Amino acid sequence: MGTALSDFDFARLRDIRASKPEAIGEAFASRKRREVLRGDGRLFIVAADHPARGALAVGSDSTAMANRYDLLDRLAIAVSRPGVDGVLGTPDIIDDLAALGLLDDKIIVGSMNRGGLRGATFEMDDRYTGFDVPTMVSSGIDFAKTLIRVNLEDPMTALTLEATAKAVTEAAAAGLPIMLEPFMSKWVDGRIVNDLSADAVILSVSIAAGLGTSSSYTWMKLPVVDDMERVMEATTMPTLLLGGDSGADPDETFAAWEDALSLPGVRGLTVGRTLLYPPDGDVAAAVDTAAGLVHPTGLAIAS
């Protein structure tokens, strides 16, 4: 079943936030860290940075991620499963998990730009409103993550590219791995739509790969699309596959991930809603299935 949280856990978390906020920093300072890559050299990261961008929907449920206690409970179950290497989140999520003592021996991935709120007229203005590199380094956060939606018809893209290049430069100077999640995007009937054709993903990778003064610590975070072999031929950078929203048949989704995970350069998965909110509600089973795809021989647990 995995490790669920109790009312006591949440009462303690509320008390820490209200009267002992310094305990969160102490939790970061005292937590047991690990190497980013170990064992089989692959990574399985559970993602939960969606709410800060106003993206609360999962499938047809527009407020699925709105209940923070429910989300934290699902994350607690997920990170307790064998083969889960870490978690991706914004400072509020990561602080909650640190205060709850759930981040020992886990990789923390800090989400940096959440300013392009879903559905906003300024959605393409993806400002860096979350983690920054100096804070991640001082807090012992292991990895950085950015979202780069490239809209050739929207001038706000230029600002996002410039800010991302700065983040990549700072991360490389600090020796902090940073994953870039690029898309070619456009406005369609007042909303942003990502182009998931192979040609568009390849173009987005080519643009993102050149950002910053050094690419030595850059990783890619890419969607699984048709002709994924050709996509992976577009980069030498280590790549994690993203899961996207749930809604597709789970068996088909897992099969697509399994095929893509066999490609050269693919190092694992970074998946959120698909596993945290599976159609049957069994978070542990969904996470275990994905973990088995990333770490089929169980080497992730080896130190």
Side-chain angles (χ1 to χ4, degrees):
M1 286 293 295
T3 303
L5 297 170
S6 66
D7 290 340
F8 172 79
D9 293 317
F10 292 132
R12 185 168 60 87
L13 174 59
R14 288 191 297 269
D15 183 60
I16 288 172
R17 283 198 168 280
S19 60
K20 304 173 186 175
E22 69 277 5
I24 295 175
E26 293 167 359
F28 282 113
S30 64
R31 80 179 181 96
K32 178 184 178 183
R33 297 184 65 184
R34 53 159 280 183
E35 295 179 350
V36 171
L37 293 179
R38 67 183 187 188
D40 59 4
R42 290 158 74 88
L43 291 177
F44 177 27
I45 307 295
V46 176
D49 63 339
H50 315 82
R53 202 173 63 78
L56 300 176
V58 178
S60 61
D61 186 347
S62 62
T63 60
M65 300 187 78
N67 186 320
R68 181 52 56 92
Y69 298 101
D70 177 61
L71 174 57
L72 290 173
D73 198 47
R74 292 169 185 268
L75 283 168
I77 292 170
V79 299
S80 73
R81 304 307 298 171
V84 175
D85 295 290
V87 63
L88 159 63
T90 45
D92 55 324
I93 292 281
I94 299 301
D95 287 349
D96 278 344
L97 295 175
L100 290 165
L102 297 175
L103 296 177
D104 279 347
D105 202 38
K106 299 296 178 185
I107 294 165
I108 303 176
V109 183
S111 187
M112 300 185 69
N113 59 322
R114 299 279 85 187
L117 302 184
R118 175 168 288 185
T121 57
F122 54 86
E123 185 169 352
M124 288 307 306
D125 186 356
D126 259 333
R127 298 193 183 200
Y128 279 62
T129 57
F131 282 110
D132 60 25
V133 170
T135 298
M136 286 187 280
V137 171
S138 65
S139 298
I141 289 172
D142 308 288
F143 222 121
K145 177 260 180 180
T146 77
L147 173 66
I148 312 166
R149 292 175 295 177
V150 178
N151 187 334
L152 300 180
E153 298 179 349
D154 194 311
M156 290 297 100
T157 291
L159 298 178
T160 300
L161 292 175
E162 182 180 34
T164 304
K166 179 182 178 182
V168 170
T169 297
E170 291 179 346
L176 179 71
I178 182 168
M179 67 176 78
L180 310 185
E181 182 180 3
F183 293 98
M184 299 305 299
S185 307
K186 58 184 177 181
W187 289 101
V188 178
D189 297 328
R191 66 189 186 95
I192 294 297
V193 175
N194 298 325
D195 187 340
L196 298 181
S197 66
D199 285 345
V201 176
I202 290 168
L203 178 58
S204 74
V205 169
S206 300
I207 293 168
L211 296 175
T213 59
S214 172
S215 66
S216 54
Y217 284 84
T218 300
W219 289 52
M220 289 290 158
K221 180 173 183 274
L222 301 177
V224 178
V225 299
D226 291 338
D227 208 0
M228 197 66 192
E229 295 87 351
R230 194 158 60 90
V231 171
M232 289 310 303
E233 290 172 352
T235 182
T236 60
M237 294 173 179
T239 297
L240 298 179
L241 307 174
L242 66 92
D245 197 354
S246 59
D249 178 82
D251 291 336
E252 292 182 5
T253 299
F254 289 131
W257 292 350
E258 185 173 23
D259 289 343
L261 282 164
S262 68
L263 296 174
V266 175
R267 286 279 183 167
L269 289 173
T270 304
V271 184
R273 291 167 292 182
T274 302
L275 301 180
L276 293 174
Y277 298 86
D280 64 1
D282 193 338
V283 175
V287 170
D288 288 350
T289 299
L293 298 178
V294 178
H295 301 297
T297 61
L299 292 177
I301 305 171
S303 59

